Amino acid sequence: MATADDVRRIALSLPGTVEKPAWGLPAFRAGGQGGRIFASLDEDDQVIGVICPKEDREGLISAEPGKFFVRPGHDDGYAWLRVRLAALDGEDELRAILVDSWRQAAPRKLLDAHPGTAGPPGV
């Protein structure tokens, strides 16, 4: 089962990533201290939030409602998706989700400098 430590280790291994709290919770930013948040841990360290285009969320949630969800009233207006760590199929899936979210948040200059990590977005 994926843990908060796995999230932190994988997220911080991505180029230009820093951990900087947001709303009192651990958050990971692409592109340094002022970079865009691409992942955050919830209060209980059992759920992460990641970037996901709004048009893709419904399909993911419908396909795997035990894994993916949004918090009504909180995530509605944002391109954000919640992921239950216990429902993941292992570290490879966690890494794929985090890398995808990082790609969507990273500045173009960072993506261009790390073509092995960059690629088309999509969870």
Side-chain angles (χ1 to χ4, degrees):
M1 178 177 95
T3 67
D5 288 339
D6 295 327
V7 171
R8 182 170 279 109
R9 179 176 46 79
I10 294 168
L12 291 173
S13 75
L14 298 172
T17 295
V18 297
E19 181 175 349
K20 181 180 175 187
W23 311 287
L25 300 170
F28 303 92
R29 297 171 182 269
Q33 292 290 329
R36 188 168 167 213
I37 295 171
F38 71 90
S40 67
L41 284 160
D42 281 9
E43 304 84 22
D44 62 5
D45 286 348
Q46 302 299 308
V47 171
I48 59 171
V50 294
I51 298 172
C52 179
K54 287 191 241 181
E55 61 271 11
D56 295 342
R57 291 189 316 191
E58 186 66 33
L60 290 166
I61 293 167
S62 293
E64 297 185 83
K67 187 179 294 185
F68 301 113
F69 68 101
V70 294
R71 288 198 174 141
H74 188 269
D75 299 328
D76 299 337
Y78 301 97
W80 205 248
L81 181 70
R82 304 293 167 155
V83 182
R84 292 178 182 91
L85 294 176
L88 293 174
D89 294 327
E91 189 171 311
D92 287 345
E93 185 176 26
L94 174 60
R95 178 176 295 283
I97 289 168
L98 288 171
V99 167
D100 181 72
S101 188
W102 177 87
R103 287 178 187 145
Q104 295 176 71
R108 174 60 42 203
K109 191 158 102 174
L110 187 57
L111 291 170
D112 290 346
H114 300 279
T117 306
V123 173

